[in-house]
Amino acid sequence: MTTQNQAKTAIITGGAGGLGLALDAGLRQAGWCTVLIDLPGPALEALPPLERRKVLACDLTDAGAMAALCAQIRLEQPSIDLVVYNAGITWIGACADLGAKAHRKVFEINYFAAVQMAQTLQADLRRVRGTHLAISSVAGFSPLFQRTAYAASKHALEGFFKSLRSEEKPHGVRVAIAAPSFVATNIGRSEAKTDGIARPGSATDGVDYMSPDDAAQEILKGLAGGKNYIPVGRIARLAWLINRLSPALFERLMERQIKAGR
């Protein structure tokens, strides 16, 4: 159990860059300890050692490796108080070009990895009445042009965590979802594969991009303010409102804006 003088610990997946690093900085500034998880490679290796931050490499789609990693964190940290499910990839292209392999890969990373980690750490968060924080997207509550696999994975992510909220409420565990609009995390570094897989935040057809630092600030402010659903950024807030009032109007506006940026 955490004590009044003991720093809380947050686990952040997809922590080697962009929004993950921005959330890391914001949480450590607020006195938290962080554990950043990402794929092994140059991005993770380039992170300098910092006080109250641990960096771990793991392929989250490897069930055995993830289970071992969670066990390691459990042994090394006095508590696990917040888990941020931020790791993700996008898929950009026409549905006619979407292959089964790419479709499944998007779901393995964006959905199944988050679900397995939530189940693995469920008891840890219950023990300290902690928080699950799923990083969704505007595409998690609305359609998004030429993002069929990505939007489907984010819709699934939101459905899981919204449903989990009701189960965890009696245990004092909070379940929050943040839905950013377009966060400029990898502009000019799409590294898109032939199957359409790309880094999140790398597309050039987005609208009103916001910086990772601004997005992280809004997410942490919403979390501190007790919000369970946090549309992040002006576009996300407008999209959420318009889509609720008139899905047909949102669809027309979305198609016009996204197509204009292509």
Side-chain angles (χ1 to χ4, degrees):
M1 295 289 290
T2 56
T3 66
Q4 195 172 23
N5 297 322
Q6 189 178 81
K8 294 184 177 181
T9 297
I11 296 173
I12 305 172
T13 68
L19 183 57
L21 272 182
L23 288 167
D24 162 61
L27 285 165
R28 285 189 295 103
Q29 187 175 21
W32 287 66
C33 295
T34 60
V35 178
L36 306 187
I37 302 171
D38 215 313
L39 286 169
L44 198 68
E45 294 166 3
L47 295 180
L50 294 175
E51 186 179 359
R52 290 186 287 108
R53 182 172 82 182
K54 190 173 185 66
V55 177
L56 298 173
C58 183
D59 178 355
L60 297 177
T61 65
D62 182 330
M66 179 196 283
L69 182 77
C70 290
Q72 176 186 343
I73 296 171
R74 189 178 293 121
L75 288 173
E76 294 176 347
Q77 300 298 325
S79 66
I80 298 172
D81 303 270
L82 169 66
V83 184
V84 184
Y85 308 94
N86 174 64
I89 57 174
T90 190
W91 185 89
I92 304 171
C95 177
D97 299 324
L98 174 60
K101 184 177 179 181
H103 200 166
R104 291 179 185 279
K105 183 174 182 179
V106 171
F107 265 81
E108 286 292 340
I109 297 173
N110 292 5
Y111 175 74
F112 285 111
V115 167
Q116 186 194 350
M117 179 169 275
Q119 290 178 304
T120 303
L121 297 174
Q122 189 174 35
D124 300 275
L125 290 175
R126 285 181 176 182
R127 193 172 298 115
V128 297
R129 303 171 72 88
T131 301
H132 297 275
L133 173 59
I135 304 299
S136 180
S137 162
V138 168
F141 62 78
S142 66
L144 191 57
F145 183 70
Q146 293 209 327
R147 308 292 202 285
T148 48
Y150 178 72
S153 71
K154 291 299 187 179
H155 272 69
L157 186 76
E158 289 206 9
F160 174 83
F161 280 101
K162 286 175 181 175
S163 301
L164 182 65
R165 183 180 297 142
S166 297
E167 293 187 28
E168 294 305 289
K169 194 179 299 181
H171 300 280
V173 174
R174 183 176 169 198
V175 179
I177 298 170
S181 50
F182 293 92
V183 182
T185 54
N186 290 294
I187 296 298
R189 297 182 63 235
S190 63
E191 298 179 20
K193 311 299 181 186
T194 55
D195 57 6
I197 298 293
R199 291 173 177 265
S202 62
T204 58
D205 61 353
V207 180
D208 196 22
Y209 280 96
M210 62 190 309
S211 72
D213 288 340
D214 288 342
Q217 186 176 13
E218 284 201 31
I219 291 169
L220 296 177
K221 181 179 179 181
L223 201 63
K227 294 182 179 179
N228 286 332
Y229 197 85
I230 311 166
V232 183
R234 182 181 66 89
I235 294 298
R237 291 189 293 271
L238 285 172
W240 185 78
L241 179 61
I242 294 170
N243 190 61
R244 288 193 61 177
L245 295 175
S246 175
L249 173 60
F250 174 84
E251 189 172 326
R252 289 197 300 272
L253 292 172
M254 177 274 296
E255 290 173 353
R256 186 174 68 190
Q257 291 291 331
I258 299 297
K259 288 179 180 179
R262 297 187 71 82

